[in-house]
Amino acid sequence: MPSRPMNPGGASPVRRRALLGTAVLVVLVALVGLAAYLTRDGRSPSKAPAVHTSSPTAHSTASTAPRTHPRALAVPAKTHDPIVFGKAAAAALWSYDTRAYSRTELRTALRGWLTAEGKYADRTSVDEVVPSPVLWREMAANRQFATAKVHEGHFPDSFTRALQADPGAITQAYIYAVTVSGKQSIAWTGSHDGGAESRTATLAVQCRPHKPCALVGVMPSVAP
C-alpha cells in the first residue's frame, strides 16, 4: 500500500514536515489535522482511489474491457489559479488506466505534479493514492480503469479565515489549501455500468507569483 517515505536532499521526513510547518502553519493551522500531518513520522495512509476487481464469473463471460479508449497520463495544469489547479490535480489523483500504462508510470506522472521545492513537496501523500503493486496486478488482469469528474473546488472556511486574519502569512511559501469534490467512475473487464463513488479531498497547492501552480501534497483530512 503506501510506499516508503522519500528523503530528498538527505532530510528526514520529520525535518521536511517541520520546514513546511514553519512556512505555512500560520495560514493552515486551522485545517483539521494539519499539525499532526506536518510533524509525525508515520502518517496513516490517506484514502486511496476506490478499486474493484471483477468476479471469476464476470471475467469468464467477457474478454474485453468496456468500449472506452485508454487514457493518457495527466499532465500538470499550467495555471496561476490555485482552485483551478487543485481541481485538475484531484482529477489526476482519482484517475488511472491499467490498460494504458504501468503502476510505476502512473506514480512517476503524479509526482510530476509536485512542486520542485523539495522542502515542501510531500511525495508520500501522493504515492499513497496509487494502488499497491499486488493490487495493481489484479486490476491490470481485469483491464480496470477509473475516470474522475470534478464538481467543485474552493478554499476551506478555516483557511479563508486564517488568511483574512494574517494576509501576509502566505507570502513566504504561497501555499493554499483547496478542497475539491467530485465523482470517480470505475470499469473493468465484464462490467456493464461499472461503479462510482463520490470523492472529496483537501490539497495543498503552491502558487508563487509568476510561476505556474504546483502540488504540495494531499491533506490527511478533508477541510470543509
Side-chain angles (χ1 to χ4, degrees):
M1 301 294 297
S3 60
R4 189 180 300 276
M6 301 301 293
N7 189 13
S12 69
V14 174
R15 177 171 174 75
R16 288 194 300 108
R17 290 172 190 135
L19 289 169
L20 176 57
T22 300
V24 301
L25 189 58
V26 173
V27 177
L28 301 181
V29 69
L31 296 177
V32 178
L34 179 65
Y37 170 70
L38 296 175
T39 57
R40 69 180 184 268
D41 184 31
R43 293 197 310 275
S44 299
S46 57
K47 185 179 180 184
V51 174
H52 300 273
T53 55
S54 62
S55 66
T57 300
H59 188 73
S60 64
T61 57
S63 59
T64 59
R67 293 182 180 179
T68 301
H69 294 295
R71 294 175 176 267
L73 290 161
V75 177
K78 299 297 183 183
T79 178
H80 297 276
D81 186 323
I83 292 180
V84 171
F85 183 89
K87 292 166 69 175
L93 292 168
W94 297 337
S95 303
Y96 59 83
D97 194 337
T98 65
R99 305 167 302 172
Y101 41 76
S102 68
R103 175 184 180 273
T104 298
E105 289 172 324
L106 173 61
R107 187 178 66 173
T108 299
L110 292 179
R111 286 181 178 182
W113 288 71
L114 288 165
T115 175
E117 298 180 38
K119 66 179 180 179
Y120 299 132
D122 187 352
R123 289 185 175 184
T124 302
S125 68
V126 171
D127 290 349
E128 285 172 349
V129 307
V130 180
S132 70
V134 172
L135 188 53
W136 183 271
R137 285 195 295 270
E138 295 177 358
M139 293 160 52
N142 293 311
R143 298 174 60 81
Q144 184 169 311
F145 62 95
T147 57
K149 183 175 182 180
V150 172
H151 300 315
E152 186 268 345
H154 65 274
F155 295 133
D157 290 341
S158 51
F159 174 83
T160 301
R161 289 195 301 269
L163 192 58
Q164 289 173 342
D166 187 1
I170 203 168
T171 59
Q172 182 174 350
Y174 287 95
I175 294 177
Y176 301 79
V178 180
T179 295
V180 182
S181 61
K183 179 171 290 187
Q184 183 190 53
S185 299
I186 301 170
W188 59 93
T189 297
S191 67
H192 297 288
D193 298 327
E197 75 169 25
S198 297
R199 300 194 63 80
T200 306
T202 299
L203 309 180
V205 175
Q206 184 180 52
C207 295
R208 288 195 182 277
H210 313 301
K211 290 180 64 176
C213 297
L215 184 63
V216 171
V218 183
M219 297 294 185
S221 303
V222 174

